[in-house]
Amino acid sequence: KDKDMLNSDTWFSGWDKLGTIAVTALTFYIYVVALVRIFGKRTTNQLNNFDWIITFAIGSIVASGILLEEVTVLDSALAILILAILQWLTTWTVLRSRFASKMVKSDPTLLLHKGRFIESAMNHTRVSEEEIRAVLRSKGMFSVDEANWVILETNGTFSVMPHDKVTLNKAETMVDVKRPSGAPYSSA
């Protein structure tokens, strides 16, 4: 194995190979930019778990098409096109079907209510008190009591609603937030 590390092929595959990689990388760059213009920004944006998976898959396919000799440019381009079309069809369906939306997208989840951690939601989403405190610090808050609510959004980010006397039932932006059973917020 030590001889393999010293082998020149491990470090330099030749100018032809480097040229092929450069041209292929440029080709895929132009191709992905064109697809984003055709199918929309959502193709590469991490809006929710589904979008993140598609973005990750496209990146992997591009890398394979650039670096692996056994994967042709056309193979990779077709795979990326199919993923982009499937994502477009899925998002089109999700916008028109509540059932499809529930299957593809996760619900935003309430993790903190008026300074009280909601353990059941935190356990379900695998979020710790320390992570919530870090989010509050990033918003310039000194205490958990300064937040009305902390929500884990569908894209994995946290939203923090600052302290206010408004109740959860009266907050229009909270209507789609998953409210774990047994949490202390029914009328507050």
Side-chain angles (χ1 to χ4, degrees), residues 1-173:
K1 288 197 168 199
D2 289 338
K3 285 185 178 182
D4 288 341
M5 288 296 289
L6 298 176
N7 185 344
S8 65
D9 289 343
T10 303
W11 297 98
F12 181 70
S13 59
W15 292 111
D16 289 343
K17 174 83 172 176
L18 291 178
T20 300
I21 289 172
V23 169
T24 305
L26 177 63
T27 301
F28 274 113
Y29 179 81
I30 293 168
Y31 180 67
V32 170
V33 168
L35 282 181
V36 169
R37 294 290 294 150
I38 292 167
F39 288 101
K41 292 180 236 178
R42 188 174 186 128
T43 308
T44 58
N45 198 352
Q46 296 179 8
L47 296 176
N48 59 47
N49 291 340
F50 176 73
D51 292 324
W52 181 84
I53 291 167
I54 295 300
T55 301
F56 184 78
I58 288 174
S60 180
I61 293 168
V62 167
S64 296
I66 292 170
L67 298 175
L68 301 177
E69 290 180 21
E70 59 271 10
V71 179
T72 68
V73 171
L74 189 56
D75 294 342
S76 294
L78 180 60
I80 292 167
L81 178 62
I82 289 169
L83 285 176
I85 290 169
L86 290 173
Q87 184 188 32
W88 186 89
L89 287 172
T90 301
T91 54
W92 184 87
T93 304
V94 162
L95 289 173
R96 287 156 182 77
S97 164
R98 184 163 228 187
F99 176 76
S101 179
K102 289 287 184 193
M103 294 302 293
V104 173
K105 293 171 36 177
S106 61
D107 293 324
T109 304
L110 185 64
L111 302 175
L112 181 92
H113 174 72
K114 305 241 182 217
R116 294 184 64 189
F117 294 103
I118 303 173
E119 298 290 333
S120 61
M122 291 167 54
N123 289 335
H124 180 73
T125 57
R126 298 179 312 281
V127 174
S128 69
E129 287 184 18
E130 292 79 15
E131 290 171 295
I132 293 173
R133 283 190 186 96
V135 170
L136 294 174
R137 285 191 301 271
S138 74
K139 301 295 182 187
M141 295 184 177
F142 299 101
S143 165
V144 294
D145 292 329
E146 292 184 51
N148 245 14
W149 306 297
V150 174
I151 302 101
L152 179 62
E153 299 291 354
T154 60
N155 64 358
T157 62
F158 292 92
S159 292
V160 177
M161 307 297 287
H163 184 71
D164 196 305
K165 292 185 185 215
V166 69
T167 64
L168 191 57
N169 297 334
K170 301 279 185 188
E172 181 185 345
T173 60

